Amino acid sequence: MLDKVVTSGTFSLDGGTWDVDNNVWLAGDAREVVVIDAAHDARAIAERVGGRAVRAIVCTHAHNDHINAARELAGLTGAPIRLHPADQVLWEQVYGDAVPYEPLADGEKLEAGGVTLEVLHTPGHSPGAVCLHAPDLGVLFSGDTLFKGGPGATGRSYSSFDTIIASIRDRLLTLPPETVVHTGHGESTSIRAEAPHLEEWLLRGH
């Protein structure tokens, strides 16, 4: 039901550039999938997709390292690109107005291969950041909103620590504690593992 490809490249914002490894998640079955975050290497992602149909390329947010393979992957698969429109300003930094996407809405449900993904708008890391909750699988795809050990970074443009804390507290920590959290970078975690640490994150401020 789930596949992962780790791709490598760079993240650039506010004049800085960092080397990053990204988790690209595929949710679906043997016939069709949704790709979550087309990062760095469209061909590697398409290779993992194999002969399956791609129902959508969902961007958890529009930082360049999560969308820089979206145009090529859409060309290879014919799938629509989906993004929350509050991240338009970040999208334009990569693609201008050359690449269209279909807007994601909070509460929208996406389906592929018997897997239902509910869109949770969780701003903070970026204005249009979303997580995808697959209740039947007991899984949350958190993008860069929640990691093992705390919230995603909020020290750069278009981000807000107070906003990401509210998103995590109100939208994510209310999910069943056994929910497995598959992140945009690094190791997976769970709601149960992260929930007790909210006060620590507030005290440290990141």
Side-chain angles (χ1 to χ4, degrees), residues 42-113:
R43 305 232 163 235
I45 301 166
E47 193 174 309
R48 185 61 58 91
V49 169
R52 293 177 287 184
V54 178
R55 294 288 298 272
I57 299 162
V58 180
C59 308
T60 60
H61 60 294
H63 284 153
N64 74 289
D65 59 316
H66 290 255
I67 65 170
N68 54 12
R71 172 165 53 185
E72 185 180 353
L73 188 64
L76 290 170
T77 62
I81 300 168
R82 307 295 310 276
L83 175 73
H84 194 286
D87 264 9
Q88 176 69 20
V89 64
L90 291 163
W91 181 262
E92 288 177 355
Q93 290 182 6
V94 177
Y95 290 120
D97 58 6
V99 180
Y101 62 84
E102 297 179 7
L104 284 173
D106 184 57
E108 183 179 351
K109 290 183 169 63
L110 310 173
E111 296 193 3

Side-chain angles (χ1 to χ4, degrees), residues 12-26:
S12 299
L13 189 65
D14 297 341
T17 297
W18 300 265
D19 292 326
V20 286
D21 297 324
N22 286 61
N23 298 328
V24 180
W25 297 94
L26 281 60

